[in-house]
Amino acid sequence: KTKNDIDLAITKAIENGLIISSQKEEVLATIYEIVNHKELSDYFAEEHKVMNEQTIIQKQGNIVKPDRMSISKDKKVFLLDYKTGQHLPKHKTQLENYQKSIEDMGFKVEKKALIYIGETIEVLHL
């Protein structure tokens, strides 16, 4: 959820078999690159409430699960979704669907972005 959780999260990922020990340094570098990215400071602000992969049931009964919502005290949401591979129009549509669901609950999505993880980290603000 925050920068302070990274080491413990990596340890748990190794213990649970999600990554192997030899991947630790590469995964750590990628995570630090994301959380310290100059364009993403609002998304990782320590004072915000963080909700990772929180299930939202839409009015129509569909279920969506944004990767990360960071919520300020005044109910402003900073919405992130992580992707790998090529940019696809459906990624933008998915993020917009998340935004609508969040705003239907009375929150305001202040900022939203897609983070493409590959050889480099690419942030696409929408």
Side-chain angles (χ1 to χ4, degrees):
K1 291 185 177 186
T2 70
K3 293 176 187 180
N4 298 329
D5 300 326
I6 294 172
D7 290 331
L8 179 59
I10 292 293
T11 300
K12 285 184 175 184
I14 292 169
E15 288 173 357
N16 293 326
L18 298 173
I19 63 172
I20 57 176
S21 295
S22 62
Q23 296 173 305
K24 179 179 178 178
E25 292 308 316
E26 183 179 352
V27 172
L28 269 173
T30 300
I31 292 171
Y32 279 117
E33 188 176 347
I34 292 169
V35 300
N36 292 317
H37 196 287
K38 65 182 179 191
E39 294 177 38
L40 298 175
S41 60
D42 288 332
Y43 298 89
F44 293 97
E46 296 277 336
E47 67 273 9
H48 292 176
K49 179 178 180 180
V50 176
M51 301 179 84
N52 290 324
E53 297 186 1
Q54 184 67 45
T55 300
I56 298 171
I57 301 172
Q58 298 174 312
K59 290 179 182 179
Q60 312 87 328
N62 298 327
I63 294 175
V64 297
K65 194 180 283 193
D67 288 335
R68 181 181 178 91
M69 295 182 289
S70 183
I71 306 169
S72 68
K73 289 183 172 120
D74 56 354
K75 289 189 165 187
K76 291 181 182 170
V77 176
F78 300 87
L79 177 62
L80 284 180
D81 212 44
Y82 302 100
K83 301 293 181 194
T84 57
Q86 65 184 28
H87 296 218
L88 298 173
K90 71 179 184 178
H91 297 160
K92 181 180 175 188
T93 302
Q94 182 182 39
L95 200 63
E96 289 169 350
N97 187 27
Y98 294 162
Q99 178 178 356
K100 181 173 180 351
S101 300
I102 292 164
E103 290 181 345
D104 284 349
M105 295 187 307
F107 294 88
K108 177 178 183 342
V109 174
E110 186 73 12
K111 291 183 180 180
K112 62 183 186 264
L114 293 167
I115 299 177
Y116 286 91
I117 301 169
E119 292 294 319
T120 60
I121 301 299
E122 186 176 353
V123 178
L124 181 63
H125 295 281
L126 303 173

